[in-house]
Amino acid sequence: MAPSAEAAFALAAKKSPDVILLDVRLPGLDGLSALGKLRQLSDDAPVIVMTAFGNLATAVRAVEGGAFDYLAKPFDLDQALELVARAIQRRGLATPEGDEPATDAPRTT
């Protein structure tokens, strides 16, 4: 976890996360502006953008910026977990059966 985009940059530079959950509204640099740099620093880890203040234009901007997907708050926890699981599978970290990650538990930023 990181309280800001700038703090997330430092964490991602040290240890690449498997998946990033990124809020749009952050202190300092906003999430959409940070999206590209976070993807570069994290070896293109899938980024799931989330916000309570979104609209279709925000969702489109997130996906065009390279986000794996977009979650509007409030969201269902099961929906979020399914999205994270799909992101991990797409990155190739799941076993062929899809039961468990092939690496340690997913790291978060």
Side-chain angles (χ1 to χ4, degrees), residues 46-64:
V47 178
I48 300 169
V49 173
M50 54 189 179
T51 185
F53 304 99
N55 54 33
L56 183 57
T58 304
V60 168
R61 187 172 164 213
V63 172
E64 286 178 347

Side-chain angles (χ1 to χ4, degrees), residues 18-19 46 68 82-101:
D18 294 331
V19 177
F68 174 76
E82 173 62 30
L83 191 53
V84 169
R86 281 193 297 129
I88 289 171
Q89 285 180 325
R90 182 179 227 187
R91 190 149 191 223
L93 299 177
T95 63
E97 297 80 31
D99 295 334
E100 299 175 18

Side-chain angles (χ1 to χ4, degrees), residues 16-96:
S16 182
D18 294 331
V19 177
I20 298 170
L21 298 172
L22 179 64
D23 205 333
V24 170
R25 291 217 176 163
L26 297 169
L29 188 65
D30 71 87
L32 292 178
S33 298
L35 179 59
K37 184 171 182 176
L38 273 173
R39 291 190 73 235
Q40 288 175 343
L41 290 171
S42 64
D43 298 327
D44 286 326
V47 178
I48 300 169
V49 173
M50 54 189 179
T51 185
F53 304 99
N55 54 33
L56 183 57
T58 304
V60 168
R61 187 172 164 213
V63 172
E64 286 178 347
F68 174 76
D69 211 331
Y70 179 88
L71 276 173
K73 294 179 192 176
F75 51 81
D76 179 74
L77 183 57
D78 289 334
Q79 174 190 16
L81 291 172
E82 173 62 30
L83 191 53
V84 169
R86 281 193 297 129
I88 289 171
Q89 285 180 325
R90 182 179 227 187
R91 190 149 191 223
L93 299 177
T95 63

